[in-house]
Each structure stands twice: as C-alpha cells, then as structure tokens.
Amino acid sequence: MTESRNVKRLVAVLLVFCLIPVFVPAGAAAESTTLVVAASDSSEEAKAQATYICDGSDDHVEIQQALDALPAGGIALLMEGTYNCAGNIQPGDSRILQGSDENTTVLSYPGSGGLRVRAPSVTFADFTVTGKADMIIEDDHTRVRNVTMTVDNSRIAAFYVWAANDVVEDTVFENCRAIDCGRYGFLNSGEGSPRLVKDIAYINCTAINCGKDSYVSTGPWVTGFDIVEKNDIDGAEVIGCYAEGNQESGFHLEGFSYLNIQNVRFQDCISVNNAQKGKDACMFGAGFTVPKGVTLENCTSVNNKHGYLVSGGSVSKGFSNTFTNCTDEGSDYGFTIRHGYDITMTDCVSKDAARQGLVLSKAWNIKAEDFRLIGAAGYPLHEGSSEQTAVKIAGTRSSDDQFAYNMWDGAVTDSTLDIHAEGCGTDTVVFLEDAQRVTLTGSTDSAGANPVKVAGGTAVDTAGFTTGAEVSAPSA
C-alpha cells in the first residue's frame, strides 16, 4: 500500500507540473528587490548579508520592518535560523516573505501571533511555523508554497481562509503541510454576505494528526482538510493531497442547505486512518465527506469509518456528486450515501470493508456502474437484526447510528445498481428493504441460499444479478 500510495502521489505531482504554470510569486516582477533578514542564531555569513538582524526576542518586528520597506514585488528573505515571534506578520500588497528552506527557517511562536494576509498578491514560501500561531488569508491572489505548520489548539486552524462579507479569490497552497496540529489543518470558513471562497487550489498538500488536542467546543469535528465550513465555494481543486490520522474526517465539506457548493474536484488524493477519536464516536469519520457539488477521481481511502460519505448534515440533502475510479480498503463502511440524490459511482471498489461495502439510505437517483465489492465482512441490516448483509439498501434508524435521529431512515428509490461481489463474509450479499423502482444487476460468487434479499418495496428488479452456481458454471 505504501509503494502504491507513493506512486499515486508522484503521478499526481508530475501531472500538476505538466498542467499548471510554473509557480511565480503573486505580484513578483522579473527582477525583485530583496531585503535579507537574519535570525539571532543564523550563521555569521548570513548576518553579514542581512539588512535586518533579529535578537531572538519579538523578531516579528524586524521581519515586518523589512516587509514594510519593500516595493511591490519585493522579497523579505529569511536566512536559516529560528525567529522568535510574539505578534502578527502582515505583508503589504504584492510582497513576498520567503525562507531559505522550510527545514532550516523556523518562525517560533511561544506566545500568540501568526501570518496575516489582508492585502492582495501576497506570497509565503519555504519556512516552518510552530507554537501558538496560524495563517489567516482574507484577500485575493495568495500563494503559499513549501510551508509547514505545527501549531497548538489555541487557534482554530493552521491554514485558515476567511471570507467575511467578501469574496476571497485565487488562493493556491502548494506542497504545504499541517503536521501534529491541535485543531484543523486546512480550513475555509466565512460569515455575512458574500462569504465566498472562489478558485482555491491545494496541490500536493498534507494534513497529518490534526485535532487530537481539540477539547474546545468545536473539537469533536476537527478534520485535516475542511474545504467548506460556513462558507460558500465556487471552484476548488484538491490534487495529490494526503490526509492521515486526523480527529474526524481526512477531507471534509459541510453540507448545510444554506451553503452553495459547486465545482469542487478531488484528484489522486489519499486519506488514511482518520476517525482517531474512535470510529463509533465519529459522526463522519470519513476519508472523504462530500455532501454536494463534488467530483472525485482516482482517490483512495484506507481504514476510516466511512471511506466515502455523502451526507448533508442535519436534515439537508447531499446531491450532484460523481465518483470515478475511487477505492476504499478496510474502512467500516466503504461508500455511504445517506439522504442524497443524483449521485454516480463508476468503476469504484470497496475492498475488505470491516462492516459493509455499500450503504444507501433515504436516497434516490443513485447510479452505480461496475461497482466491485471484495471481501466485505457484513453487518446487521439494523441494530439487533439477525439479517447480516454486505450491502445495505435500506433506511438507517436512530438505533442503527447514534447520530441518525431518524434523519436517514427512508427508502432507496429510482436507482440502478451494478454490483460485482466476491469473497464476502455473509450469505446475504445485498439486502433491499422497502426499495422502490430499483434495478440490481451484476454478480456474486456467494453460494448462499439467498445472496439477494428483497423485503417490501415495489418494482425491484434483480433478474440481471447472477449468483453462486451461475457465476461459477463454465460457459457453453
């Protein structure tokens, strides 16, 4: 799995560099003015080049002075060393704050502060931030490249895009990392009107172990990448990104009905071992929580609560999602749609689901094409039920899920499902309860007496689903 994951990430990076322009700092001129800043522990050679030399206390002051002295397109270059900061650093229009290398240039915040973008065309590049800090972006055309954040839970997120009565447009994160953060790794949110994040990109970014120290009120919902919290979004590209070990979901979008979500695309992303607060304690706990307006291509989920979860939250609906060539391995539930419609899954795979590989509840106009179900262990159709099944096409009751509150207890209707199952751990592979106008095609190698069960409902067609002896019999 590690080798496969690395190959996928390498391919994603190569594709990115082929398809998008070479990174140029926002607002940078062909020849930029550079002012050098040295830390108190920088080398003597570095200090000899510096216009500003920090003394190891309130180093944000000298850094801000350098930024303020620059013309548009200018670079404040931080030499190697640790800068002890106790306040905000806020570049002006078209200014660039760049370290020598993210492994050797460190902005340390033992007290509160951080990086602020409140002017257009700001660039941050090539450094690490630690301590009680965050990066807040409130203006357009921001570029963040090769920045690592390892920060505590005193701030809501490491990388935070905030749209308050405004449109924040054209933000790019490239090769950025949120590692061991107390709360969210990457977060978009907003308030007022408009509250729109527009045309944002995450390229080869990483969120690992975010949210474990989140005992504050919003702590239970902390995720690695939160693309939509209380903001609208139009245009998001998440390419070659990786989420692992986060408190709730790896990648997440809130789905409340008042949020406008469109043109969001995940490609070649990987989400592993999330739901760290406990799978049954998570409302989402997904590799990918995608309520509406999302396309996923060639994505991978491993050992989450839900591999892929379509859920609008509360009484909202999830809709207009497309999954192509997506795989889950070892999650409790491979693919889950609860209270959703107009969703297509093409060439997707659930492998070794600890419970069920596919769960559809209160859903309609669902289309699964060549869905492969391999080795699902099976789980009761309902809490306390003797009916065990690898695929659940039925409502989800409050007793089935502590977060359900009967919101997802409803029939599956007007759907076509093509499922090819093998090696499942239950005699019943697919159970349809109260379904209406559902067509099931495909196959299973199960030789059980009833690999497909239909209880109630109307116009359920399973004639095109072959089972047991039919599958294994040699062709004429």
Side-chain angles (χ1 to χ4, degrees), residues 308-442:
Y308 302 86
L309 173 63
V310 177
S311 178
S314 185
V315 296
S316 303
K317 304 175 184 69
F319 55 88
S320 298
N321 293 310
T322 301
F323 302 84
T324 303
N325 196 32
C326 291
T327 300
D328 176 75
E329 183 173 346
S331 297
D332 278 7
Y333 306 95
F335 292 75
T336 301
I337 300 171
R338 55 194 194 195
H339 202 184
Y341 63 95
D342 292 352
I343 296 160
T344 300
M345 295 175 283
T346 304
D347 297 327
C348 292
V349 180
S350 169
K351 183 178 180 181
D352 297 332
R355 294 182 178 178
Q356 292 160 334
L358 178 63
V359 177
L360 306 179
S361 297
K362 201 174 185 178
W364 58 103
N365 197 23
I366 310 301
K367 186 175 183 180
E369 299 177 335
D370 196 18
F371 184 94
R372 294 183 61 204
L373 179 73
I374 304 170
Y379 199 66
L381 180 70
H382 296 296
E383 176 68 24
S385 172
S386 61
E387 300 285 358
Q388 300 270 335
T389 183
V391 173
K392 173 180 175 176
I393 314 296
T396 296
R397 304 167 182 171
S398 294
S399 58
D400 300 339
D401 187 319
Q402 63 174 314
F403 301 103
Y405 309 116
N406 287 325
M407 292 184 296
W408 313 315
D409 188 13
V412 175
T413 66
D414 301 294
S415 298
T416 59
L417 309 174
D418 181 49
I419 300 171
H420 298 268
E422 59 183 277
C424 294
T426 55
D427 289 339
T428 300
V429 176
V430 182
F431 200 114
L432 301 101
E433 181 182 65
D434 297 328
Q436 301 176 38
R437 299 174 299 282
V438 173
T439 298
L440 174 68
T441 60

Side-chain angles (χ1 to χ4, degrees), residues 14-312:
L14 291 174
L15 285 172
V16 166
F17 281 104
C18 290
L19 295 174
I20 68 172
V22 175
F23 178 88
V24 177
E31 294 184 7
S32 299
T33 300
T34 298
L35 295 177
V36 177
V37 183
S40 61
D41 60 350
S42 293
S43 68
E44 292 304 315
E45 181 182 1
K47 289 178 180 178
Q49 302 174 54
T51 305
Y52 300 86
I53 300 176
C54 299
D55 63 6
S57 177
D58 291 335
D59 292 342
H60 64 284
V61 174
E62 288 84 359
I63 295 171
Q64 189 65 53
Q65 288 172 348
L67 288 165
D68 292 344
L70 288 168
I75 302 171
L77 179 61
L78 305 179
M79 303 303 283
E80 83 286 348
T82 299
Y83 297 82
N84 293 303
C85 302
N88 292 338
I89 297 171
Q90 185 170 312
D93 186 348
S94 303
R95 270 64 171 184
I96 301 158
L97 180 63
Q98 182 172 346
S100 296
D101 180 89
E102 65 180 306
N103 297 314
T104 59
T105 301
V106 178
L107 302 180
S108 174
Y109 279 85
S112 294
L115 303 164
R116 301 291 178 265
V117 176
R118 294 178 175 134
S121 302
V122 167
T123 295
F124 295 126
D126 304 320
F127 54 80
T128 288
V129 179
T130 63
K132 299 179 181 296
D134 53 6
M135 178 189 295
I136 300 178
I137 297 171
E138 301 180 62
D139 216 318
D140 301 339
H141 313 304
T142 302
R143 300 291 183 267
V144 187
R145 182 186 65 184
N146 297 335
V147 173
T148 296
M149 302 280 282
T150 299
V151 295
D152 70 1
N153 69 349
S154 62
R155 303 300 178 92
I156 194 168
F159 300 93
Y160 192 6
V161 178
W162 175 246
N165 299 299
D166 200 1
V167 177
V168 178
E169 186 170 2
D170 182 30
T171 304
V172 178
F173 296 98
E174 184 178 352
N175 300 322
C176 292
R177 284 160 285 279
I179 309 293
D180 295 327
C181 293
R183 295 177 75 182
Y184 293 87
F186 297 83
L187 172 65
N188 300 328
S189 195
E191 65 181 7
S193 180
R195 51 174 180 244
L196 177 62
V197 175
K198 181 175 175 62
D199 296 333
I200 190 169
Y202 303 85
I203 301 167
N204 197 30
C205 293
T206 300
I208 297 178
N209 297 338
C210 294
K212 290 185 178 179
D213 299 325
S214 296
Y215 49 81
V216 290
S217 60
T218 58
W221 317 117
V222 169
T223 65
F225 292 81
D226 192 348
I227 308 301
V228 171
E229 182 59 26
K230 295 181 179 179
N231 58 291
D232 298 324
I233 199 159
D234 184 0
E237 295 279 332
V238 189
I239 301 174
C241 293
Y242 182 79
E244 180 179 0
N246 299 294
Q247 183 80 342
E248 259 276 355
S249 296
F251 298 92
H252 185 89
L253 291 83
E254 281 293 332
F256 295 113
S257 58
Y258 62 83
L259 296 176
N260 183 16
I261 299 172
Q262 55 187 349
N263 301 317
V264 177
R265 184 171 72 101
F266 291 86
Q267 178 182 320
D268 299 307
C269 293
I270 300 170
S271 194
V272 179
N273 293 336
N274 297 290
Q276 283 296 304
K277 69 181 181 184
K279 291 181 180 178
D280 285 329
C282 286
M283 183 175 186
F284 307 104
F288 301 82
T289 302
V290 287
K292 53 189 175 182
V294 179
T295 297
L296 298 96
E297 303 171 1
N298 306 321
C299 292
T300 301
S301 162
V302 180
N303 193 31
N304 300 291
K305 177 179 180 178
H306 300 275
Y308 302 86
L309 173 63
V310 177
S311 178

